[in-house]
Amino acid sequence: MSSIISQIYSLKNALIERGFFHIIISSSLVKIVSFISVMFLPRFLSKADYGLLTYVDNILNYVLLFNAIGISNATLKYCAKDEPNENKKGYFIASLIIGITFDLLLIVVSIIGFIVIPFPFSGAKVFLLAASFLPLFSFLFEDIQILLRACLENKKYSTISFIYAAIMVVLQISMAFLWQLKGIVIARYISLFACIFFGYVLIKNIKLMKSKAIIPHKNQIIQMLKFGIVMLAANSVSFLMQLNETFIIGQVLKDANALADYKIASYILTISLFLLQSVVIFIFPYFVKHADDKEWIWNKFKKIFLLNAAIMIPIHIILFLSAKLFIVIIFGENYINAVPLMRMLLVASLGHAIFRGITGNILAGIGEEKFNLRINIFFTVLHAIVDIIAIKLFGLNGAAIALTLVYFTSGIVMIYHLRKVCKTTKPKVIGV
């Protein structure tokens, strides 16, 4: 018994030293302050306006799928490697140049698209044009965050994440109250500007940034681009499942109120998965460092899988049972129709939390990003087909049915592939 207590104590100290609890606390605070926005925006906006905001944000998220051609993923991988700081700084600078260049092109293309494409909701075009420059500033902020994460500067990463969420919530609520949807766009720009500046202050004093940069040569840049594009594609087709769901609901049901109900119900996914996201943020750089030691990978994965399941199952049960109370207290009786959908989405969330979330990120970290891409493409296409059929048959509940089927099935396939990859083992590396 004393041995177990000693191991737990040692693990606790190791996690504290590496900033794990800073990530957990920061992620919790981020979700709390973000949820304040979720609580108040539906009350300051009419249900129709909130449905319009949901539709417009969904279109913007499609644009963000291509943001900076995914080069920030290369920042995470190459800056987390055991290489000299001069090389890492060179990778970071290269990612900034590539990302900014691509985003300027993306802005031009998206503006043309927003002008030409007819949208089914009045006011969507103006809102989209006003938000056209958000991808560029989102990339700059994200790349700074990811550099801190890759360098294991978890305390600084947690600090800037919380500050961004807090500023965004305060500004979105206050400006939505004053200027409705226009105020929300302004709030997003101001929040990103402020946090890019603060992020620069945080990174300029880390060891990596004090080194003289060695810009990667042509072949290395090509490898960065390849990795970024593959990860972009893999993450995009995965995220497309949720985006497609909102888009299909809008196209099939053509009801802004139904979109608002879905948006409210789907917020539970953010709450239910906040701990999973914290774990993924913490473990990813370590799995990158041990990518060649498959025995270490599989042993650590099994431990993380069991611990994650032991935590996620009770969390989802509690949220499932309290769904009605949650809706009534937070959003009011106006959204009571979202309760059954929220409960069904929690089942989908459980499949993602246990089987899919951690496994997919580990596969990406150990060089299996191409497998992630193939499997995500297949299941995204399958999801779209099932989604259309299910929504036509069961309405909003059909969206949750399709997501549940795909999350559980794809997660199991990913675990099987990870086990298959780890059959070839190498000498064990000592580390976390």
Side-chain angles (χ1 to χ4, degrees):
M1 184 67 180
S2 60
S3 175
I4 295 175
I5 294 175
S6 176
Q7 290 179 12
I8 293 174
Y9 184 77
S10 298
L11 176 61
K12 182 200 72 171
N13 289 339
L15 291 175
I16 290 174
E17 182 181 347
R18 289 167 172 79
F20 175 71
F21 291 107
H22 284 86
I23 292 176
I24 292 292
I25 293 170
S26 172
S27 296
S28 301
L29 291 174
V30 167
K31 298 308 177 190
I32 290 169
V33 297
S34 298
F35 196 66
I36 293 173
S37 177
V38 174
M39 290 170 58
F40 283 98
L41 281 181
R43 297 179 185 275
F44 289 153
L45 301 174
S46 68
K47 196 169 184 178
D49 277 351
Y50 193 65
L52 174 61
L53 177 62
T54 299
Y55 178 81
V56 168
D57 277 345
N58 199 64
I59 298 296
L60 288 173
N61 283 332
Y62 276 110
V63 176
L64 288 170
L65 289 177
F66 303 97
N67 198 17
I69 207 169
I71 201 65
S72 56
N73 293 299
T75 300
L76 179 55
K77 178 176 180 177
Y78 289 92
C79 292
K81 287 185 171 183
D82 289 324
E83 289 195 20
N85 285 330
E86 292 83 357
N87 293 350
K88 292 181 180 181
K89 185 176 180 180
Y91 287 127
F92 176 62
I93 291 174
S95 74
L96 287 176
I97 295 171
I98 294 168
I100 291 171
T101 302
F102 183 83
D103 269 354
L104 291 174
L105 176 62
L106 181 64
I107 289 169
V108 173
V109 173
S110 61
I111 287 175
I112 294 172
F114 295 153
I115 293 173
V116 173
I117 298 172
F119 296 103
F121 295 97
S122 175
K125 189 183 293 289
V126 174
F127 191 33
L128 286 166
L129 287 170
S132 297
F133 286 84
L134 284 174
L136 174 60
F137 301 111
S138 295
F139 160 69
L140 292 174
F141 176 60
E142 178 184 296
D143 215 32
I144 291 171
Q145 277 187 302
I146 286 178
L147 178 66
L148 291 171
R149 181 178 162 191
C151 294
L152 302 180
E153 295 283 350
N154 291 326
K155 295 178 184 178
K156 292 181 178 180
Y157 171 85
S158 302
T159 299
I160 193 172
S161 298
F162 173 70
I163 289 175
Y164 173 69
I167 293 175
M168 176 70 83
V169 168
V170 172
L171 289 180
Q172 276 203 146
I173 291 174
S174 58
M175 292 191 175
F177 177 74
L178 293 173
W179 300 305
Q180 301 296 301
L181 294 180
K182 287 189 298 183
I184 291 176
V185 178
I186 296 171
R188 292 175 180 179
Y189 277 113
I190 294 175
S191 301
L192 286 169
F193 286 152
C195 289
I196 288 169
F197 173 76
F198 183 67
Y200 169 74
V201 173
L202 286 179
I203 66 171
K204 72 176 184 178
N205 290 322
I206 63 177
K207 291 181 180 179
L208 180 150
M209 294 301 291
K210 292 181 178 180
S211 305
K212 184 178 180 180
I214 298 177
I215 303 298
H217 55 69
K218 181 179 178 181
N219 289 338
Q220 289 174 317
I221 291 176
I222 291 174
Q223 290 303 313
M224 286 179 67
L225 283 168
K226 285 182 178 178
F227 181 80
I229 292 171
V230 171
M231 286 299 297
L232 172 72
N235 292 334
S236 296
V237 294
S238 180
F239 189 44
L240 269 173
M241 292 182 194
Q242 294 182 37
L243 293 183
N244 286 345
E245 207 148 59
T246 305
F247 180 76
I248 291 169
I249 289 170
Q251 295 301 117
V252 174
L253 300 182
K254 301 184 185 302
D255 185 347
N257 290 328
L259 274 174
D261 282 336
Y262 177 77
K263 184 68 172 179
I264 292 299
S266 64
Y267 272 125
I268 201 66
L269 298 177
T270 303
I271 298 171
S272 63
L273 298 175
F274 86 92
L275 182 59
L276 172 70
Q277 293 163 353
S278 301
V279 172
V280 168
I281 288 169
F282 179 74
I283 68 172
F284 187 88
Y286 294 104
F287 277 87
V288 171
K289 290 179 182 293
H290 294 81
D292 293 329
D293 186 355
K294 299 304 187 293
E295 182 181 3
W296 187 96
I297 296 292
W298 182 247
N299 288 336
K300 294 298 181 184
F301 168 75
K302 287 190 294 183
K303 292 178 181 178
I304 293 171
F305 178 87
L306 293 174
L307 180 61
N308 181 54
I311 295 171
M312 287 297 170
I313 292 173
I315 287 175
H316 282 74
I317 291 174
I318 292 170
L319 290 173
F320 185 93
L321 295 175
S322 59
K324 184 175 181 179
L325 185 64
F326 177 86
I327 288 287
V328 172
I329 292 176
I330 304 300
F331 302 108
E333 294 283 349
N334 198 31
Y335 289 97
I336 196 68
N337 291 335
V339 173
L341 178 62
M342 179 178 286
R343 286 176 170 157
M344 295 180 71
L345 285 173
L346 278 167
V347 178
S349 169
L350 185 62
H352 178 72
I354 295 179
F355 297 102
R356 181 183 172 88
I358 289 177
T359 314
N361 278 276
I362 289 175
L363 285 169
I366 65 174
E368 290 295 316
E369 63 273 3
K370 290 183 180 179
F371 170 81
N372 274 3
L373 174 60
R374 291 194 298 269
I375 202 71
N376 281 325
I377 289 175
F378 173 80
F379 278 102
T380 299
V381 173
L382 177 64
H383 171 260
I385 295 171
V386 175
D387 212 28
I388 294 171
I389 297 171
I391 290 173
K392 285 183 177 180
L393 292 175
F394 306 108
L396 282 178
N397 291 340
I401 293 171
L403 205 59
T404 301
L405 173 65
V406 170
Y407 276 172
F408 273 91
T409 308
S410 61
I412 292 170
V413 172
M414 286 179 173
I415 292 175
Y416 172 78
H417 183 75
L418 178 62
R419 179 67 189 97
K420 184 178 178 181
V421 168
C422 291
K423 281 183 178 180
T424 303
T425 60
K426 293 185 177 181
K428 188 174 181 179
V429 178
I430 298 175
V432 175

